[in-house]
């Protein structure tokens, strides 16, 4: 106990001494700031008079010093006349004032400013001398003497003037650092990685923002050639390959950084280098960050101050982003009438933004959430004034209202992103989940058939693969219905296409993992992870939408095989606990020390590992780079229609238990279904028959129906 008390007394004494040492500079700065705010014109006049007086004293002193240095040189008697020295100083100051020298901040002087000052003093001094010896006091020119004098005097004068300004700048930096020491905010040490010009700017910029609490401890250049030199007063410590050694040296010096701030705009930093640097930084428990500048946009609760932000997590996942072939999209989307269901959601909103880029004739925004629909319509109209947008407030559950929208707008391509996606929420509300994800999807698909749209692209999820929970099962039934409709149109090239796109977790979407972790850190709570071994596939919302657009456009352009599901090659799954640790480091904190990680157990309907392909599906290569295709084993359409009718009756009765049982039973039936084989064989036989028979008319009749059997429109 005595040791603890002694340590506490030592710390208290250090804090008190630090406060006493910094209180006076803080009070002086506060007094100066108050005076400037009260009388800005008077403050400017006093500032100018002070600078002129200081510069006059400096010039007069350097004039006398130069005479003393050149005492052995034969000088004109005029040079020793105090009146000439005073006139010399006064006229130089007047010229400097006239050319605007005193209208700029000389605290941040550059080499260019120093050269300009030297040239001004040289020209003015020669003119003063020539006028003096030619008009005022006629005498010998003493060209050699005057040249020698100016050669000595001007460098000394420039050095003294700049030295005074450097001293003033150092004084203000001392005041800022004193104010930082007074504040209770902990200082966050950072390393800079980038071009030396950028590092020099950051060395000036960071100390000006006291509230950021940042302290730069060194610079890492890309090649490390300038190691052991300095830039902006900061040591150049080496290259990125030397990061472990650099961190160890800083740690021994008591200056261990918490973050590696990377120059974002450098041409010498590509994605692969970012991944290597991120891996090395993670080994050293460093956050990989970049500067968020005040001019890049508003920052909530931070005002216009400088801060650092994490690098996007997607850049650290270890796989390249997918690329898009614009020619396919332009041919499919440009000039078309597009509908996006769930347009106010994360995926739907990004679909609207990316589709609008290709100038469709119009985009119908359909959503049941009023504010979300208003927000995406407002954003879309502002960003894309040349595209027509129609906001339709409608739920996909409302079959009659949905069909009215289709009849009024007549979309050619429908992107179906409306769904209930949160696993625990659907598990707790089975009737709502089945109503939206199953019957709502059926409503949209049936409207596509009824109003002869060209295609429907359904957004699905990896949770639909071998589903355990109800949310995955509902999405699987949506897939099965669209697959059945796509397959049944095999014999009619004019029948609508029904395409399904499947991907994993979307980073940053509403209610997803990363926003939850960020909220928990902001609230000072531990990060909650369901299981130490749970892992997921991750992608960005931009990648998800690119996948949807790329696969659907290629499928429509190339008339791909019907019934397949498009799946993004997302690399290896990532453990959630590793994501949690990374998010903590990106916040400048230490996992399990500053922020604990709490394991809460798997939630209802949640799997430990996600899959991308069902046990009844065959994985095949796709012609689209970065995308696979799944060959389905679907359920006959008649069975789905009958089963969906039973689901609708159970929803109306509120029988949640039987509803869940029937939903999982229908999904399980697809594993033993041979309907796809039968359809393909019938389609092949039909084509062979048509080829062998002589033509009897303009077109042979299709062998299979191209639309779902008629159903009562009020079933759902």
């Amino acid at each position: 106990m005595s040791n603890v008390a002694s340590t506490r007394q030592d710390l208290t004494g250090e804090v008190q001494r630090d406060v006493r040492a910094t209180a006076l500079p803080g009070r002086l700065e506060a007094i100066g700031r108050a005076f400037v705010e009260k009388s800005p014109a008077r403050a400017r006049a006093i500032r100018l008079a002070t600078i002129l007086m200081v510069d006059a004293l400096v010039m007069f002193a350097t004039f006398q010093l130069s005479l003393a240095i050149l005492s052995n040189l034969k000088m004109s008697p005029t040079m020793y006349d105090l009146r000439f020295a005073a006139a010399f100083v006064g006229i130089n100051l007047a010229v400097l004032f006239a050319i605007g020298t005193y209208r700029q901040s000389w605290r941040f002087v550059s080499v260019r400013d120093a050269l300009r000052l030297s040239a001004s003093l040289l020209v003015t001094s020669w003119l003063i001398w020539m006028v003096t010896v030619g008009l005022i006091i006629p005498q010998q020119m003493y060209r050699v003497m005057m040249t020698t004098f100016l050669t000595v005097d001007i460098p000394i004068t420039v050095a003294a003037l700049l030295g005074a300004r450097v001293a003033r700048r150092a004084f203000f930096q001392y005041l800022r650092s004193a104010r930082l020491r007074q504040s209770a905010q902990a200082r966050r040490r950072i390393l800079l990685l980038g071009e030396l010009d950028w590092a020099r700017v950051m060395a000036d910029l960071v100390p000006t923002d006291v509230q950021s609490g940042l302290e730069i401890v060194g610079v890492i250049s890309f090649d490390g050639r300038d190691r052991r030199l300095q830039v902006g007063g900061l040591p150049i410590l080496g290259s990125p390959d030397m990061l472990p050694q650099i961190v160890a040296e800083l740690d021994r010096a008591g200056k261990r950084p918490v973050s590696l701030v990377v120059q974002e705009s450098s041409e010498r930093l590509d994605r692969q280098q970012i991944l290597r640097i991120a891996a090395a930084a993670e080994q050293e428990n460093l956050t990989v960050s970049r500067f968020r500048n005040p001019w890049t946009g508003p920052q909530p609760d931070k005002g216009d101050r400088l801060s650092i932000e994490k690098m996007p997590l997607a850049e650290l996942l270890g796989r390249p982003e997918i690329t898009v072939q614009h020619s396919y999209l332009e041919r499919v989307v440009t000039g078309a009438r597009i509908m996006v269901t769930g347009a106010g959601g994360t995926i739907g909103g990004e679909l609207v933004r990316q589709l609008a880029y290709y100038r469709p004739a119009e985009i119908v925004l359909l959503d049941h959430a009023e504010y979300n629909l208003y927000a995406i319509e407002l954003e879309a109209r502002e960003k894309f004034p040349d595209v027509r947008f129609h906001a339709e407030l409608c739920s996909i559950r409302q079959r009659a209202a949905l069909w009215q929208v289709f009849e009024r707008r007549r979309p050619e391509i429908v992107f179906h992103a409306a769904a209930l996606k949160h696993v625990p929420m659907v598990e707790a509300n089975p009737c709502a989940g089945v109503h939206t994800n199953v019957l709502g999807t059926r409503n949209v698909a049936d409207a596509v058939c009824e109003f002869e749209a060209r295609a429907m692209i359904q957004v699905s999820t990896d949770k639909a693969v071998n589903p355990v929970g109800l949310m995955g099962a509902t999405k699987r039934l949506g897939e099965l219905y669209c697959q059945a409709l796509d397959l049944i149109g095999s014999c009619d090239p004019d029948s609508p296409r029904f395409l399904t796109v499947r991907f994993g977790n979307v980073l940053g979407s509403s209610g997803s993992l990363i926003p939850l972790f960020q909220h928990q850190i902001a609230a000072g709570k531990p990060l909650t992870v369901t299981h130490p071994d749970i892992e997921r596939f991750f992608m960005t919302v931009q990648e998800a939408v690119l996948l949807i657009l790329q696969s659907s456009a290629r499928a429509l352009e190339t008339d791909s095989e019907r019934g397949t599901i498009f799946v993004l090659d997302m690399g290896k799954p990532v453990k959630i606990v590793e994501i949690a640790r990374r998010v903590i480091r990106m916040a400048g904190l230490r996992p399990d020390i500053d922020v604990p990680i709490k394991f809460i157990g798997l939630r209802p309907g949640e799997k430990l590992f996600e899959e991308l392909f069902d046990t009844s599906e065959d994985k095949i290569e796709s012609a689209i780079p970065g995308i696979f295709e799944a060959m389905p084993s679907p359920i006959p359409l008649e069975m789905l229609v009958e089963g969906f009718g039973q689901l609708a009756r159970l929803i109306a009765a509120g029988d949640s238990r039987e509803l869940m049982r029937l939903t999982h039973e229908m999904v399980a039936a697809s594993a033993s279904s041979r309907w796809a084989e039968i359809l393909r064989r019938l389609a092949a036989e039909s084509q062979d028959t048509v080829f062998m028979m002589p033509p009897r008319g303009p077109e042979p009749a299709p062998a299979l129906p191209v639309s779902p059997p008629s159903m009562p429109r009020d079933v759902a």
Side-chain angles (χ1 to χ4, degrees), residues 2-17:
S2 60
N3 290 335
V4 173
S6 175
T7 302
R8 190 172 296 168
Q9 288 176 356
D10 292 342
L11 290 173
T12 304
E14 289 180 9
V15 171
Q16 290 175 345
R17 286 192 297 272

Side-chain angles (χ1 to χ4, degrees), residues 188 190-192 202-203 206 214-219 234 291:
R188 297 174 60 191
I190 61 175
L191 268 174
L192 300 183
M202 291 299 106
V206 170
L214 301 177
E215 178 188 0
I216 304 175
V217 294
V219 177
L234 301 173
F291 276 108

Side-chain angles (χ1 to χ4, degrees), residues 318-350:
R319 60 171 174 80
E321 291 180 315
I322 64 172
T323 57
V324 62
Q325 293 182 330
H326 296 282
S327 58
Y328 285 97
L329 286 171
E330 288 173 350
R331 290 195 292 269
V332 171
V333 175
T334 302
R337 296 187 303 276
I338 307 292
M339 174 184 284
V340 179
T341 71
T346 304
I347 296 293
E350 185 63 24

Side-chain angles (χ1 to χ4, degrees), residues 191-335:
L191 268 174
L192 300 183
L193 170 59
E195 306 283 356
L196 295 185
D197 290 342
W198 170 80
R200 178 68 179 85
V201 172
M202 291 299 106
D204 285 337
L205 184 60
V206 170
T208 64
D209 191 351
V210 178
Q211 292 184 353
S212 69
L214 301 177
E215 178 188 0
I216 304 175
V217 294
V219 177
I220 298 178
S221 63
F222 290 118
D223 49 27
R225 288 186 301 176
D226 298 307
R227 190 186 177 204
R228 303 192 186 282
L229 299 180
Q230 289 193 347
V231 56
L234 301 173
I236 302 172
L237 303 174
S239 64
D241 296 335
M242 301 170 62
L243 185 62
Q245 176 186 343
I246 291 170
V247 173
E249 291 176 355
L250 290 172
D251 195 12
R252 287 193 293 270
K255 295 182 177 181
R256 181 181 177 85
V258 298
S259 182
L260 178 67
V261 181
V262 179
Q263 180 183 358
E264 182 180 8
S265 58
S266 174
E267 296 179 354
R268 301 176 62 179
L269 197 63
D270 58 25
R271 182 179 180 82
Q272 294 303 318
Q273 286 177 304
I274 279 284
L275 294 174
R276 288 194 296 269
I277 292 168
E282 191 165 350
Q283 291 295 323
E284 301 301 321
N285 205 23
L286 295 180
T287 303
V288 180
S289 310
R290 60 187 170 198
F291 276 108
R292 177 190 289 275
N293 297 318
W295 49 85
T296 58
Q299 303 175 59
D301 304 325
K302 293 184 180 180
D304 291 335
R305 68 180 179 84
L306 185 71
S307 65
I308 57 174
E309 66 172 359
K310 65 183 181 183
M311 294 288 284
L313 184 60
E315 296 186 15
L316 311 181
L317 291 179
R319 60 171 174 80
E321 291 180 315
I322 64 172
T323 57
V324 62
Q325 293 182 330
H326 296 282
S327 58
Y328 285 97
L329 286 171
E330 288 173 350
R331 290 195 292 269
V332 171
V333 175
T334 302

Side-chain angles (χ1 to χ4, degrees), residues 11 28 63 107 113 117 154 164 192 209 221 226 237 382 405 407 479 499 520 565 700:
L11 290 173
L28 290 175
F63 188 92
R107 280 186 295 159
D113 296 326
L117 177 62
I154 289 179
L192 300 183
D209 191 351
S221 63
D226 298 307
L237 303 174
E382 289 178 350
V405 174
E407 187 174 17
E479 288 185 356
L499 309 173
Q520 290 174 334
I565 293 176

Side-chain angles (χ1 to χ4, degrees), residues 40 138 140 160 199 234 240 370 423 425 428 439 462 498 532 541 596 652 694 712:
Q140 277 186 278
L234 301 173
E370 179 189 18
V423 172
M425 191 66 68
L439 302 186
D462 55 2
F498 292 88
V541 63

Side-chain angles (χ1 to χ4, degrees), residues 576-611:
I576 301 297
V577 68
E578 293 302 322
I579 297 293
R581 292 193 178 104
R582 193 168 296 170
V583 170
I584 293 171
R585 294 190 189 105
M586 285 179 168
L589 302 171
R590 296 168 296 178
D592 302 317
I593 300 175
D594 299 322
V595 180
I597 297 175
K598 181 180 179 182
F599 297 103
I600 59 175
L602 291 175
R603 299 171 296 181
E606 190 171 45
K607 294 196 296 185
L608 198 59
F609 307 103
E610 293 290 6
E611 305 162 276

